[in-house]
Amino acid sequence: MPNSPHRAPFSLKQHQTQAVEITSMTLESKRKALIEIGTGGGKTVVSAELARRHIGDTSSSVLVISKSHELVMQHVSTFERHISSLERERFVRLGCTQSGLRRLNPLSEAHTQQRAKSVIIFTTIHTLCKRLKTPSPLLRKIKLGLILWDECHWADHQSMGRRVARWA
């Protein structure tokens, strides 16, 4: 994931830059990565930078999974500030119809078309798992290149992680 031509509107702190660089190298080698940063250390900003680079460099989409709607809103807000050069219509939601998230377009068939631009999809783990219970042609057509899972310890909760891993 080389640095994208889309410039970040603010600079990262040294530990955030280091986390992004190490994670990028790990992902380039086709390995999975887990980032651990303490409370208030900027995990969401690091995620936004990884998504910004990915969207700028590839044609595949990014999935951002959070455990609650409040965390989805935090991610959307940070991503909007951090990825200001990206068109807002490339931020979409899967489910998440709470009032604060209705400003995002829902994931649709148009996002799966061959020439469609890559998108950043925001959702909760519960919504994603519900959608994965019944086969969804829409989800099967999405070309994912990066999954950012906030509070990934929820992957062990009620086989949610296994369900997501089988789909992705």
Side-chain angles (χ1 to χ4, degrees):
M1 240 187 276
N3 200 356
S4 165
H6 298 288
R7 291 221 182 270
F10 53 85
S11 59
L12 299 173
K13 295 177 181 167
Q14 184 177 1
H15 71 279
Q16 294 167 332
T17 300
Q18 187 176 21
V20 168
E21 295 304 327
I22 292 170
T23 303
S24 295
M25 287 187 298
T26 302
L27 296 173
E28 285 171 11
S29 67
K30 305 293 184 212
R31 295 181 312 181
K32 296 176 184 174
L34 175 69
I35 300 170
E36 182 179 354
I37 298 174
T39 303
K43 292 179 288 291
T44 306
V45 173
V46 169
S47 294
E49 176 62 11
L50 289 166
R52 182 187 70 80
R53 290 181 180 201
H54 183 83
I55 290 290
D57 296 336
T58 70
S59 61
S60 60
S61 293
V62 175
L63 176 66
V64 181
I65 306 170
S66 301
K67 92 172 186 166
S68 68
H69 289 100
E70 292 78 15
L71 287 174
V72 171
M73 289 193 302
Q74 174 188 327
H75 278 93
V76 169
S77 181
T78 300
F79 279 48
E80 285 177 335
R81 282 192 320 273
H82 189 71
I83 312 177
S84 61
S85 60
L86 194 61
E87 305 94 7
R88 292 293 186 258
E89 55 272 4
R90 291 177 67 186
F91 289 20
V92 299
R93 62 181 164 80
L94 177 64
C96 300
T97 56
Q98 278 61 23
S99 60
L101 294 168
R102 286 193 192 129
R103 69 180 186 273
L104 299 182
N105 292 324
L107 181 64
S108 71
E109 193 68 35
H111 298 114
T112 66
Q113 303 305 313
Q114 183 116 22
R115 298 178 196 263
K117 290 182 177 180
S118 53
V119 292
I120 301 175
I121 306 161
F122 296 91
T123 192
T124 65
I125 183 58
H126 299 289
T127 297
L128 180 60
C129 285
K130 272 194 248 179
R131 301 288 175 96
L132 292 175
K133 278 184 181 177
T134 56
S136 165
L138 180 61
L139 287 178
R140 278 197 298 267
K141 292 179 186 178
I142 292 295
K143 181 181 171 190
L144 282 182
L146 181 62
I147 298 175
L148 299 169
W149 191 327
D150 187 28
E151 304 214 21
C152 63
H153 58 275
W154 278 82
D156 290 336
H157 184 69
Q158 299 175 353
S159 74
M160 292 176 178
R162 287 190 301 275
R163 193 174 300 149
V164 173
R166 277 194 305 268
W167 166 66

